[in-house]
Amino acid sequence: MLLPFILQPLFLFPTQASPVRRQATSYDVIVVGSGPAGVIIASRLSENSAKSVLLIEGGGPSYYVTGGRERPQWLAGTSLSRVDVLGLYSTIYSNPSTNLLCQNKIRAYGACTIGGNSAINAGLFYEFPASDFDKYFPMGWKHSEVSPAITRLYQKQPSTNKPSMDGLYYQQSGYNGAKKWLVGNANYTERGILFLHFIRKGA
């Protein structure tokens, strides 16, 4: 889940469901939009307890912890919404959501909700290998320089390579196809799916 570590910001929604609100007449910082960038900025700024941070989202709630209650019937009685169950990400196309998607607010297919597009993309992310940071990124963004921030991210945002309750993998055809091409033909090495990337041998 994306938001539990954000303790200071106030979330405001122009919808019927909203988390607990903090009352204040002014704020030191106002962050507009709770997509991936806005959430991270608000979280980092709120680490300074001397500053008050307001995070405003124009869309509705997404994750259960934010007030999201959109979900299939089989999730009734749980503390999960449809975006908390990563495997349901594909249903956003077959069963569109008026609460999660931007609809006619923008001329593109996107999410206008807490977490932004990261709330509807199955929670997948890509961590660059160290060699990419060192080869393609400018000074200040080399792997040794960003590694402490990456470590802090994993501490705040735990991940798993066993997402199912029984510890088994399902629907592996896409992964197996990519593995055959990347590992078998392109000289990459298979790594754990926790980081969801492949490393070229010798990189």
Side-chain angles (χ1 to χ4, degrees):
M1 299 197 311
L2 189 60
L3 300 173
F5 59 83
I6 301 177
L7 302 178
Q8 297 296 326
L10 164 67
F11 297 96
L12 297 179
F13 310 106
T15 59
Q16 69 279 6
S18 61
V20 176
R21 302 184 179 192
R22 284 178 29 194
Q23 297 298 320
T25 56
S26 63
Y27 294 89
D28 296 302
V29 179
I30 298 175
V31 179
V32 179
S34 67
V39 165
I40 292 171
I41 290 171
S43 175
R44 290 298 305 275
L45 292 172
S46 68
E47 291 174 1
N48 182 349
S49 59
K51 300 291 184 180
S52 60
V53 180
L54 172 66
L55 175 58
I56 300 175
E57 169 56 46
S62 54
Y63 302 93
Y64 190 93
V65 71
T66 68
R69 297 297 182 266
E70 187 174 305
R71 57 190 176 182
Q73 182 60 37
W74 55 269
L75 281 177
T78 70
S79 296
L80 300 170
S81 74
R82 72 185 290 182
V83 297
D84 288 308
V85 180
L86 304 183
L88 290 176
Y89 79 97
S90 61
T91 66
I92 203 72
Y93 304 101
S94 59
N95 183 20
S97 166
T98 57
N99 191 50
L100 298 172
L101 299 179
C102 296
Q103 304 299 324
N104 58 358
K105 297 176 186 174
I106 61 173
R107 293 186 178 181
Y109 193 90
C112 289
T113 187
I114 295 179
N117 285 336
S118 68
I120 63 169
N121 75 349
L124 302 178
F125 67 97
Y126 179 90
E127 180 194 341
F128 297 117
S131 57
D132 278 11
F133 281 104
D134 294 337
K135 184 175 181 179
Y136 300 112
F137 286 66
M139 294 302 297
W141 290 88
K142 302 301 183 183
H143 188 259
S144 61
E145 296 165 318
V146 301
S147 184
I150 293 173
T151 300
R152 289 196 303 272
L153 171 64
Y154 286 130
Q155 290 171 344
K156 284 185 173 182
Q157 189 70 46
S159 301
T160 180
N161 63 356
K162 299 287 185 181
S164 64
M165 294 185 68
D166 59 12
L168 299 176
Y169 298 123
Y170 296 89
Q171 304 295 328
Q172 289 292 95
S173 59
Y175 179 81
N176 290 335
K179 175 183 173 181
K180 180 178 179 180
W181 177 62
L182 291 169
V183 177
N185 299 322
N187 201 33
Y188 281 75
T189 302
E190 183 181 12
R191 301 292 288 268
I193 66 167
L194 173 63
F195 303 111
L196 299 171
H197 67 224
F198 293 85
I199 305 297
R200 184 180 292 277
K201 292 177 182 177

